[in-house]
Amino acid sequence: MPPSADRRVGSADLALIGAALCFGGTFIVVQDAIEDVEPIPFIAMRFAIGAAVLWAFARGRPSSRGLWRDGGLVGVALLAGFVLQTVGLQYTDTATSAFLTYLLVVFVPLMGFLAFGRRPHPAALGAIGLAVFGLVLLTGVVGSGPGFGRGELLTVGSAVAFAVQVVLLGETAHRHDPLRLTAVQVSVVAVACALPGAALGGYRFSGAAVAAAAATAVVATAGGFALQVFGQRSVPPTRASLVLLLETVFAGGLAALAGETRTGLQYVGAVIILAAIVLGEVLPGPLDRTVRVREADLDNGRNRGDVVG
C-alpha cells in the first residue's frame, strides 16, 4: 500500500475512533434527558438541530449524483435502528440493550457477504468473536438479563438496522461529500420523527432537556455521524463496525468517572474489546503478507520444476 494510502486509512481509523467517542460520550446525557421527555420527541429534536448544524457547513460543498438516494437509504436504516432501539428499551434493561445493539459487529460481515459477496478476513472474524465475548463481560448481560422477549426482539432488529447502515455507508460513502451525505441521512431521521414526536409527548422540553438535545445534536449527531461517514470512505464495513464498538468502552469509562460502579469483569471485558479491535486492525496485514510470500515461493518452485504439495 502506498504511503498516501496508509495515511488515508490511518486518518479514517482515527475518524471512526472519534465517532465512537462522540457516540459513547453522550450516553449519560441522553440517559438523564429521557427521564424528563419522551424518547421520540427527543430524537426528533436532536436530529433536527443536528441537521441544521450540518447543512450550515454542507450547503456550499459539492453535490453528487445519487446523493439523496444513497443518503435517504442510509437515513432510513438509521431511523429504523433508533426507533427499534428506543422502543425496545421500554421492555428491556440498558445492559441487555447495549449488548444486543452491538451484535451489529456480527451482522455486518454476514450482510456484506450475502449482499455483495465480500468474504470477511479470517482475522476479522476471530476479532469479532473475541469482541462479542468482551461485550458479554462489559455489559454484564449473561446471567442477569431479563430473558428473550419483545424488548430483546426489537433490539436485535435495531442491531440489524444499524448493521445495514454501516454496510450501506461502506458502499456509498466514497461517492459523496461526507458532510452532505451525513446531512441527508440525519435529515431523514429528523423529518420522519417530527410528527410522531408531536403525538408522542410533544416538544414542551425543560431547559435541561433542550440543552441535552443541543449537546447531543452537535457532538454525536453532527460530529459523530460526519466522522463515521468520513472514516467509512476508506475503512471496510467489518473493520469499521469493530472500531465503532469502542463506543461501549468509552460509555462505560465515562460512566465510571461519573460515579457508576464497575466490576472487575466489566473492566476485563473492556480490555478484551480493545484487544479485539487491535487484532482486527493489525493482523490482516501480516497474515496477507505471509500468504503472498508463501504463494510466491510455491510459484517459484513450480517454475523451477520442483515437486510442490
Side-chain angles (χ1 to χ4, degrees), residues 8-25 102 104-106 108-109 123-125 127-132 135 138 166 224 227-232 234-251 270 272-284:
R8 186 168 63 249
V9 172
S11 298
D13 284 329
L14 288 176
L16 290 171
I17 292 171
L21 179 58
C22 289
F23 297 148
Y102 266 93
L104 69 90
V105 297
V106 178
V108 165
L125 292 178
I128 287 169
L130 188 62
V132 171
L135 192 59
L138 179 64
V166 171
L227 287 169
Q228 181 190 358
V229 171
F230 178 81
Q232 286 204 242
S234 304
V235 176
T238 298
R239 275 180 54 204
S241 66
L242 267 174
V243 177
L244 290 172
L245 192 59
L246 281 171
E247 176 186 347
T248 60
V249 178
F250 290 139
I272 290 174
I273 290 173
L274 291 173
I277 292 169
V278 171
L279 290 176
E281 288 285 311
V282 172
L283 272 184

Side-chain angles (χ1 to χ4, degrees), residues 77-78 80-86 88 97 100-102 104 107 151-164:
L78 189 62
F82 268 95
V83 171
L84 289 170
Q85 184 188 52
T86 300
S97 177
L100 293 176
T101 297
Y102 266 93
L104 69 90
F107 294 132
E152 289 69 41
L153 183 61
L154 289 167
T155 309
V156 169
S158 79
V160 172
F162 286 134
V164 170

Side-chain angles (χ1 to χ4, degrees), residues 137-218:
L137 298 181
L138 179 64
T139 58
V141 70
V142 173
S144 61
F148 200 90
R150 182 191 307 178
E152 289 69 41
L153 183 61
L154 289 167
T155 309
V156 169
S158 79
V160 172
F162 286 134
V164 170
Q165 187 239 4
V166 171
V167 171
L168 287 175
L169 279 179
E171 293 297 314
T172 61
H174 63 282
R175 303 175 188 166
H176 309 291
D177 177 79
L179 286 181
R180 291 186 73 90
L181 182 59
T182 307
V184 172
Q185 65 166 323
V186 167
S187 297
V188 168
V189 179
V191 171
C193 288
L195 287 178
L200 299 172
Y203 298 103
R204 292 184 178 178
F205 287 15
S206 66
V210 171
T216 55
V218 173

Side-chain angles (χ1 to χ4, degrees), residues 15 32 237:
D32 291 340

